[in-house]
Amino acid sequence: MINLLKYHFKKKWVLIVVLSFVALLITYLTNASRAYISSYTDIHELNIKYVYATNPPIITATVISAVLATIIPFVEFSFKMKKINIDQYYSLPIKREKLYLTNFIFGFIEIIIPVTVSYICGFLSIFSKPSMFENIYFLPYYFVLLFMLPSFETETMIT
């Protein structure tokens, strides 16, 4: 199983780098023009001004994770669609359960790395502009996001 994971890393490291770069680029471009504080005047005579937080940068990482968790399982388990690939994979000295588990783990890693890069870029963009966000809550959200990814990936695998 470890050898198959190493094989996947050797074979698909370019894909992981490209996905990470695209996630970084999308996050940077969406967060570069955003303002994290918005305000409006409610009553002009009294000059009451409301200031509130807008455009949280974690939305981009969440959307990227949902898109990757939908696409990556199709890529990782596409070997089941061709008879030649099925025969090749099943001839390996590894059980089917471990083969599927290895593909699942590697698919999860393929999702985690670009999402982490996107999340860190979004988190750092908060410090470049004035914001009203409580930064301590970004860390638990990241772990919740990672916790939710396998369930979403499994749902995509089943259907």
Side-chain angles (χ1 to χ4, degrees), residues 2 64 67 71 79 81-82 85 98 104 108-109 115-116 129-130 133 152 158:
I2 301 285
I64 288 173
V67 168
I71 294 172
F79 73 91
M81 299 301 155
K82 297 179 184 172
N85 291 347
K98 288 191 178 187
F104 179 80
F108 186 61
I109 292 169
V115 167
T116 303
K129 301 175 190 172
F133 296 117
F152 191 72
I158 292 172

Side-chain angles (χ1 to χ4, degrees), residues 7 9 12 88 95 147:
Y7 170 74
F9 274 114
K12 296 185 179 181
Q88 178 186 10
K95 292 183 179 181
F147 179 73

Side-chain angles (χ1 to χ4, degrees), residues 2-136:
I2 301 285
N3 290 334
L4 189 57
L5 276 174
K6 288 179 185 177
Y7 170 74
H8 281 305
F9 274 114
K10 287 179 186 175
K11 184 178 173 187
K12 296 185 179 181
W13 69 271
V14 175
L15 177 67
I16 294 173
V17 170
V18 168
L19 287 175
S20 299
F21 180 74
V22 168
L24 178 70
L25 189 65
I26 290 171
T27 304
Y28 177 74
L29 291 177
T30 56
N31 291 337
S33 62
R34 285 186 177 175
Y36 296 130
I37 296 177
S38 184
S39 64
Y40 69 94
T41 305
D42 190 21
I43 303 173
H44 294 286
E45 296 86 27
L46 298 176
N47 202 12
I48 298 173
K49 196 174 202 179
Y50 294 104
V51 179
Y52 58 94
T54 59
N55 301 324
I58 57 176
I59 292 174
T60 308
T62 306
V63 169
I64 288 173
S65 66
V67 168
L68 288 178
T70 303
I71 294 172
I72 294 295
F74 290 119
V75 173
E76 283 302 312
F77 289 94
S78 65
F79 73 91
K80 294 175 20 177
M81 299 301 155
K82 297 179 184 172
K83 180 152 177 51
I84 295 172
N85 291 347
I86 291 174
D87 293 340
Q88 178 186 10
Y89 271 98
Y90 289 167
S91 67
L92 294 173
I94 188 170
K95 292 183 179 181
R96 290 182 186 182
E97 293 85 17
K98 288 191 178 187
L99 176 67
Y100 291 146
L101 180 64
T102 305
N103 283 346
F104 179 80
I105 290 170
F106 186 74
F108 186 61
I109 292 169
E110 272 183 317
I111 297 169
I112 286 178
I113 293 172
V115 167
T116 303
V117 167
S118 172
Y119 199 83
I120 290 172
C121 178
F123 183 70
L124 292 177
S125 73
I126 293 173
F127 297 113
S128 65
K129 301 175 190 172
S131 70
M132 297 175 63
F133 296 117
E134 293 290 333
N135 297 334
I136 192 71

